[in-house]
Amino acid sequence: MDTAMYHAFAAVESRHWWFQGRRRIVAALLRDQLSDVRRAKPGGLDILDVGSGTGEMVEMLREFGTVTALDSSPHAIDYLRQRLPEGVSARHGSIPEDLPRDEMFDLVTAFDVVEHLTDDLAALRAFRRVLPTGGRMALTVPAHQMLWSHHDVYAGHVRRYHRAQLRDLVRRAGGFEVERLVYFNSLLFLPALAARSAGRWRRRVSPPVDESVDPHLALPSPLVNRLLLGVFASEARLLARVDPPFGVSLVALCRAS
């Protein structure tokens, strides 16, 4: 994407129910899991957000401290530098090669990033390198290979994850303790499964799909958008009490040991 396309994508992200719901859910989980770290650093945490894209999650992370945004696309960095307020640093770099080597962060985040990487293990090991003991890592990834769809192809995903698979990845990376590993977007899991199964069937009996267009990013009507956001975002309260057995996405919150 060029810089203009990042502007257009950001306009969708700022209103689309999925992006806004994810933001609310992750923020609620971080408030709970980071309480001890925030007490130790009342001035705010030093945060590295990897694969920042348009910066939608960077805006949320500013609640917790000072954010350094890292992305492999120079167009994303151009856009981030225009969009983000002073005090947020945007840097160009690939993962894991260009993670800072002379800095330490209290929190490293990668929201829907590692599923794009051929070597996800190397990425997690690089994240551990920039965390002190007691620092935190927060990841979100798409869940369940059976949900694989045209959206995954369009987005450039290499894989989707099962909970046990993500837990094993964190274990093999070394130096992390999993504090919370939970599915989310669970209330809409069955509709998502039905829609993606129907999409696979349509592609078998219809002409090939134009993979340059992702219909999942189209904004629904305002009423439907509000309804879906309400259902999705309600999981911020649900996840405070239960661990759903399935979901469209996974979130892992880990402590550096």
Side-chain angles (χ1 to χ4, degrees):
M1 291 193 293
D2 60 19
T3 305
M5 291 182 68
Y6 276 97
H7 280 283
F9 192 78
V12 173
E13 278 193 328
S14 66
R15 293 178 290 160
H16 196 285
W17 65 271
W18 187 87
F19 294 103
Q20 293 308 297
R22 179 186 64 166
R23 176 173 173 157
R24 295 184 192 182
I25 289 168
V26 171
L29 289 169
L30 288 177
R31 290 183 194 112
D32 180 58
Q33 295 296 132
L34 296 177
S35 57
D36 60 331
V37 186
R38 297 176 80 186
R39 284 194 298 270
K41 291 196 68 172
L45 308 182
D46 293 317
I47 303 167
L48 175 65
D49 182 57
V50 179
S52 298
T54 65
E56 188 67 32
M57 296 297 277
V58 172
E59 295 279 8
M60 177 273 291
L61 289 169
R62 291 181 64 228
E63 172 188 338
F64 302 95
T66 301
V67 185
T68 298
L70 180 75
D71 201 279
S72 61
S73 167
H75 298 299
I77 299 305
D78 288 344
Y79 175 75
L80 288 168
R81 287 173 176 162
Q82 295 175 41
R83 173 185 181 178
L84 296 176
E86 291 186 13
V88 176
S89 170
R91 305 181 188 178
H92 176 251
S94 298
I95 307 162
E97 296 85 357
D98 297 322
L99 263 69
R101 294 186 176 273
D102 57 351
E103 296 176 69
M104 297 294 281
F105 297 87
D106 303 301
L107 171 65
V108 174
T109 60
F111 300 122
D112 291 275
V113 171
V114 298
E115 69 273 13
H116 296 267
L117 304 176
T118 303
D119 194 344
D120 51 0
L121 181 60
L124 265 63
R125 287 173 173 166
F127 298 165
R128 177 62 185 89
R129 192 186 69 235
V130 299
L131 288 169
T133 299
R136 299 300 205 280
M137 175 180 70
L139 310 174
T140 61
V141 295
H144 296 297
Q145 195 66 25
M146 66 180 171
L147 291 176
W148 187 270
S149 72
H150 167 55
H151 168 69
D152 296 282
V153 176
Y154 175 87
H157 294 170
V158 176
R159 69 192 73 79
R160 301 179 71 94
Y161 293 82
H162 188 273
R163 178 158 50 190
Q165 180 185 3
L166 185 56
R167 185 181 297 276
D168 182 63
L169 177 67
V170 173
R171 179 193 63 77
R172 288 188 292 121
F176 287 112
E177 298 173 4
V178 176
E179 295 189 310
R180 192 85 194 274
L181 177 56
V182 62
Y183 289 112
F184 68 103
N185 201 358
S186 301
L187 299 177
L188 295 171
F189 175 80
L190 291 179
L193 178 60
R196 295 184 185 201
S197 297
R200 286 193 292 270
W201 178 83
R202 283 195 301 271
R203 286 195 294 278
R204 284 197 296 268
V205 300
S206 303
V209 174
D210 179 2
E211 294 186 355
S212 68
V213 178
D214 185 2
H216 291 81
L217 295 180
L219 274 170
S221 70
L223 178 61
V224 172
N225 199 60
R226 286 195 299 272
L227 176 63
L228 291 172
L229 175 58
V231 173
F232 187 20
S234 70
E235 294 187 19
R237 295 186 297 274
L238 176 69
L239 292 174
R241 299 186 295 274
V242 300
D243 284 7
F246 49 77
V248 180
S249 297
L250 274 163
V251 58
L253 303 169
C254 307
R255 178 194 296 265
S257 57

